[in-house]
Amino acid sequence: MEYEITPQRQQYLDARGYIILTACPGSGKTTSIVKKLYSISQYCSEKYGKYAGYACLSFTNKACDELKDRYYDMHKENLLSPNIVSTIDSFVMQYIVLPFWYLCKECGARPIVINDGESLNNIYYNRSTNKNGEEEVYLTRVLSKHAKLFHTFEPAKIERRQHFYTWNNNAIQDENIKQYCEDSFLYRLKKGFITSSDAMWIACEILRKHNDIACALVYKFPYLIVDEAQDSSEMQFYFFSLLMNSGLENLEYVGDVCQAIYSYRNAHPEYLQELMTNEQWNHLVFTECRRSNQRIINLYSKLKPSSIPSIIAHNVEDKNIPILVYLYDEHNKRDIIRHFHKICNEHNLTERKILARGRTLCKTLSGIKDTKFKYWMSPFPYLIIDAKFAFENDDMNDAFRKIRVVYGELKYPIDINARKEFLQSIEHDADFNARIYSLLQTIPSFSLTFREWTSQMSTLLKDFCELQDIPDLHPRKKGIDGININDLKELTVEQFYLSNDEKSEYFDNINTIHSVKGATLDGVLLFLSENSQAQNISLNDFPNNPIDIMTEKQCMIYVACSRATQFLALAVPSTICEDKIAAALSCVAYKLIKINLQTELAFNEEV
């Protein structure tokens, strides 16, 4: 793997201490980290001893795998101990929570992480069988007094921060709700069922009260690199500050505040932005974009803060494809998509994506009939469908985790402690994971009807889980939207859940912006909404004046547009006047395309 040394890159490779690297899209951030890891390994060995190394931390297993693969490609060797590349969650669990959980007085049992909301909510129920052999389900005694709150504020969304509780990322002010949050939080820690957020809180409590553990961790890993640092949560920043207070001399935050699109995961990019002006930190920048042509850069640069240096295309081939702005209505979306693919084919752009904000709009654009439809009352089919899609997208960890949850709940529906012990025992069981892999390959096609799919999947689960009876996947008892339940049973699953079958008219060819974070694409078509209400993104998000801090919606558009190397197109509602488009995209060259609009006679009119 060739690596071009430029002054910006050399400055980063040589830097030690407390570093913040702001890297623009396509700057080679990941490759630069990989290049630096080799020299950091030698640096740690020489300064701190042969048993000390670095920990390079990211947020997903996929990102970690990419770092490891690139390291091998560049250096022709695998990562060597004592150095590690890991997710932050795994790092915290492996080195703090699992070995020292008993030092946190709130923990009552060795914990296991369960991030699936439905499964986590289930631990708050007790189950028993009455004298008639019927199962009875009721809230655990600790939460029975909070029954009304329980059904309004599902406990899986409760998180404990450094000084307060949140529900669904919103700080709790009401004293009654605070008490409910505390009871819910303490109950799951006592039982040993925790979320990744809980694990981080536990780790911080242990380090805060036991400095010797923090010092030992710093001794083992005197150099930490946090990739995609703009996605770090408040508690994660606090965690790293605790290590700094315990002697950590080298900490790097690498990322881009312009690409902060994970507020729903508690990301707090403002903490990183504050550190950029802190004299304790050395703030470096990468402004050379090796991905997009300057025309595309100029468009998405309209969204970035004025304090971020200008981005320059660096050795990028330009096929001179103009930026297109399509006008769409209820009838011509498919025509626009065909035109986009036609342009891509004409210029041999094989890697192309159509993007939208959120799964609802993606499903609508893909032809899904009802985006809020629920056929099953049981949670298991939805977990299985999600697992299948994760499997198809090479997210094996998520796919396997969801199938384990299904297995555990079917095998131990009443005894949650037995379920927890079982899930812990099979997590790293190679033979069991091989069985999960086989199951994921044999999940029935979504082109089947609900009746057929449910029947086949139930039989598969009976055999897979080694159950005596076929599990009841609980279809709803009544119809919906005027369709009776018998007619619903004969509809195909793929009409309501995006298909991975390229031959299907419901093929998942529309992607969320989150799904392409970090990707490089030849062509991108981004659908914008009429306004920015609720979760929508629109031309309204393009600023009229210089800004200091980006909104998450501006970051969403920035991320989407910066994936494209050669061809970028926007689709905006036909109700948007052309003057408004011109104002939002001022100083950007583009062509306006009208295709089969109800008010237009011409098939293709360019302005």
Side-chain angles (χ1 to χ4, degrees), residues 335-403:
D335 296 321
I336 288 172
I337 291 172
R338 280 193 288 268
H339 187 269
F340 168 73
H341 285 303
K342 176 175 176 289
I343 298 294
C344 289
N345 292 335
E346 288 173 353
H347 293 87
N348 195 31
L349 306 180
T350 56
E351 297 294 327
R352 80 284 293 261
K353 292 285 186 182
I354 302 160
L355 303 178
R357 169 70 189 270
R359 298 301 295 175
T360 297
L361 182 54
C362 288
K363 288 182 177 183
T364 300
L365 294 171
S366 295
I368 303 303
K369 291 182 178 180
D370 186 341
T371 58
K372 296 181 180 179
F373 174 82
K374 290 193 73 171
Y375 176 79
W376 298 279
M377 301 303 293
S378 166
F380 301 139
Y382 306 107
L383 285 168
I384 292 166
I385 289 172
D386 287 345
K388 180 65 173 179
F389 286 148
F391 180 71
E392 296 289 347
N393 290 324
D394 294 326
D395 190 351
M396 299 300 178
N397 287 286
D398 189 48
F400 279 44
R401 180 179 60 81
K402 284 182 165 60
I403 296 299

Side-chain angles (χ1 to χ4, degrees), residues 26-72:
S27 61
K29 168 181 68 69
T30 302
T31 309
S32 296
I33 292 174
V34 167
K35 178 72 173 177
K36 189 171 183 176
L37 290 181
Y38 188 84
S39 60
I40 290 176
S41 175
Q42 295 176 319
Y43 170 79
C44 290
S45 179
E46 293 170 2
K47 184 172 181 178
Y48 301 102
K50 63 180 181 179
Y51 298 110
Y54 62 75
C56 182
L57 308 177
S58 194
F59 286 84
T60 65
N61 288 293
K62 187 175 182 180
C64 291
D65 290 342
E66 182 182 5
L67 283 163
K68 293 174 185 177
D69 290 343
R70 291 200 190 185
Y71 186 93
Y72 182 83

Side-chain angles (χ1 to χ4, degrees), residues 325-490:
V325 177
Y326 295 103
L327 296 181
Y328 73 85
D329 57 23
E330 290 300 315
H331 307 280
N332 72 341
K333 296 187 188 80
R334 290 289 171 183
D335 296 321
I336 288 172
I337 291 172
R338 280 193 288 268
H339 187 269
F340 168 73
H341 285 303
K342 176 175 176 289
I343 298 294
C344 289
N345 292 335
E346 288 173 353
H347 293 87
N348 195 31
L349 306 180
T350 56
E351 297 294 327
R352 80 284 293 261
K353 292 285 186 182
I354 302 160
L355 303 178
R357 169 70 189 270
R359 298 301 295 175
T360 297
L361 182 54
C362 288
K363 288 182 177 183
T364 300
L365 294 171
S366 295
I368 303 303
K369 291 182 178 180
D370 186 341
T371 58
K372 296 181 180 179
F373 174 82
K374 290 193 73 171
Y375 176 79
W376 298 279
M377 301 303 293
S378 166
F380 301 139
Y382 306 107
L383 285 168
I384 292 166
I385 289 172
D386 287 345
K388 180 65 173 179
F389 286 148
F391 180 71
E392 296 289 347
N393 290 324
D394 294 326
D395 190 351
M396 299 300 178
N397 287 286
D398 189 48
F400 279 44
R401 180 179 60 81
K402 284 182 165 60
I403 296 299
R404 289 191 204 102
V405 168
V406 171
Y407 189 105
E409 293 204 21
L410 284 173
K411 197 77 172 176
Y412 301 98
I414 296 176
D415 190 340
I416 63 173
N417 291 320
R419 187 192 314 159
K420 188 188 77 169
E421 291 175 7
F422 172 75
L423 290 174
Q424 288 174 330
S425 70
I426 65 171
E427 184 173 1
H428 302 292
D429 186 318
D431 291 336
F432 193 87
N433 285 331
R435 290 182 58 203
I436 293 178
Y437 189 87
S438 297
L439 176 71
L440 287 164
Q441 289 182 308
T442 56
I443 288 175
S445 169
F446 299 141
S447 63
L448 296 175
T449 66
F450 279 105
R451 176 180 54 78
E452 294 168 331
W453 191 91
T454 303
S455 175
Q456 292 186 24
M457 194 66 236
S458 297
T459 301
L460 273 176
L461 285 176
K462 176 181 180 296
D463 295 338
F464 175 69
C465 298
E466 299 172 329
L467 304 173
Q468 291 185 348
D469 301 313
I470 292 178
D472 185 357
L473 296 186
H474 307 304
R476 64 186 304 125
K477 296 180 179 180
K478 296 182 180 180
I480 188 172
D481 292 339
I483 307 176
N484 67 51
I485 188 61
N486 290 326
D487 290 337
L488 284 175
K489 290 177 180 178
E490 302 309 316

Side-chain angles (χ1 to χ4, degrees), residues 558-577:
Y558 184 98
V559 167
C561 295
S562 61
R563 302 307 95 197
T565 63
Q566 295 293 333
F567 178 33
L568 174 62
L570 304 178
V572 301
S574 59
T575 53
I576 305 296
C577 68

